[in-house]
Amino acid sequence: AQSVTQLDSQVPVFEEAPVELRCNYSSSVSVYLFWYVQYPNQGLQLLLKYLSGSTLVKGINGFEAEFNKSQTSFHLRKPSVHISDTAEYFCAVKGGYNKLIFGAGTRLAVHP
Amino acid sequence: DAGVIQSPRHEVTEMGQEVTLRCKPISGHNSLFWYRQTMMRGLELLIYFNNNVPIDDSGMPEDRFSAKMPNASFSTLKIQPSEPRDSAVYFCASSRDSIQETQYFGPGTRLLVL
């Protein structure tokens, strides 16, 4: 069965510092990976996705993620965060029947 | 495109009452998903429709929950009778029918059962 583990439930960081949000997955089939962001009181918005090809994926708002098959990871990074990046971030893998299997989420708190 | 539309955005009701949540998927999307989000359990997939047909309802918590999709542009999630533990944010999402396609989420319905 496919599953996603987000290793950090909360990540505090200062503004303009780099950040990495960690995600590990387990899957026995082709891997399609997604990162979503949820701002307070809003729905989930796609940040980026990996389907195939280049292992470095660039998304919106300056985020990028690297697919590492040997380590079964798909960590999300941003070189310099802003206050507006404060949100909850969800890693997900596509399962059978086109379903998304989500991790528990990582709350990113950016402090001035 | 207007995106996925959900109504109402907020619902407060009393225990035992019937609650109906509504969703309009993005035009052209033939897969529709209902999720529930709580602090304790995170994001849970409740049910998944493809071409208006329920494909997987294994996430529906119990018989008090039911979902329908009478046509390609409308779906409902009904709770009858509602209980305080049903308080959560309910999201609807839609996508095209392919494992590579992105799911697009609505803004959610925040339900509070007193």
Side-chain angles (χ1 to χ4, degrees):
Chain A
Q2 289 148 310
S3 66
V4 173
T5 303
Q6 290 184 246
L7 297 160
D8 306 295
S9 59
Q10 296 187 59
V11 173
V13 64
F14 286 110
E15 193 173 18
E16 297 183 6
V19 70
E20 178 180 81
L21 306 184
R22 297 181 293 168
C23 172
N24 286 89
Y25 68 91
S26 69
S27 177
S28 58
V29 296
S30 297
V31 178
Y32 303 106
L33 293 159
F34 300 75
W35 274 100
Y36 282 83
V37 60
Q38 184 179 28
Y39 298 104
N41 299 314
Q42 293 187 26
L44 279 72
Q45 178 184 359
L46 181 71
L47 270 179
L48 49 80
K49 63 182 178 181
Y50 171 79
L51 302 179
S52 65
S54 173
T55 56
L56 184 63
V57 181
K58 294 191 183 295
I60 63 171
N61 301 340
F63 284 92
E64 63 181 31
E66 185 157 17
F67 171 62
N68 188 318
K69 188 175 182 178
S70 62
Q71 297 189 7
T72 61
S73 68
F74 190 53
H75 301 333
L76 182 70
R77 302 185 183 101
K78 186 169 182 178
S80 176
V81 294
H82 303 288
I83 296 287
S84 59
D85 292 323
T86 294
E88 186 139 21
Y89 292 79
F90 292 92
C91 182
V93 64
K94 270 294 183 79
Y97 292 125
N98 197 20
K99 297 195 297 187
L100 273 175
I101 299 157
F102 284 95
T106 297
R107 190 170 298 274
L108 176 64
V110 182
H111 301 282
Chain B
D1 201 314
V4 177
I5 299 172
Q6 290 187 248
S7 64
R9 292 293 310 276
H10 303 272
E11 177 82 24
V12 180
T13 190
E14 293 187 345
M15 183 174 63
Q17 296 298 305
E18 177 179 295
V19 175
T20 299
L21 312 181
R22 297 172 176 79
C23 174
K24 177 178 169 55
I26 292 171
S27 178
H29 286 188
N30 55 353
S31 295
L32 184 137
F33 308 81
W34 281 101
Y35 292 88
R36 178 172 67 177
Q37 185 179 37
T38 61
M39 291 291 291
M40 292 298 294
R41 301 173 67 90
L43 269 165
E44 305 173 274
L45 176 65
L46 300 178
I47 188 167
Y48 158 47
F49 291 87
N50 191 47
N51 293 322
N52 313 335
V53 176
I55 301 299
D56 182 358
D57 65 355
S58 59
M60 296 285 265
E62 48 197 277
D63 292 346
R64 297 183 298 105
F65 285 69
S66 63
K68 293 182 180 179
M69 193 164 186
N71 58 61
S73 58
F74 184 65
S75 176
T76 59
L77 178 68
K78 187 175 292 186
I79 309 172
Q80 165 65 18
S82 58
E83 297 183 3
R85 60 194 167 118
D86 302 329
S87 298
V89 182
Y90 291 81
F91 289 105
C92 177
S94 72
S95 77
R96 292 190 175 87
D97 180 24
S98 165
I99 197 165
Q100 297 188 359
E101 291 289 337
T102 299
Q103 286 185 23
Y104 294 87
F105 282 74
T109 296
R110 189 172 296 272
L111 174 65
L112 177 62
V113 183
L114 302 172

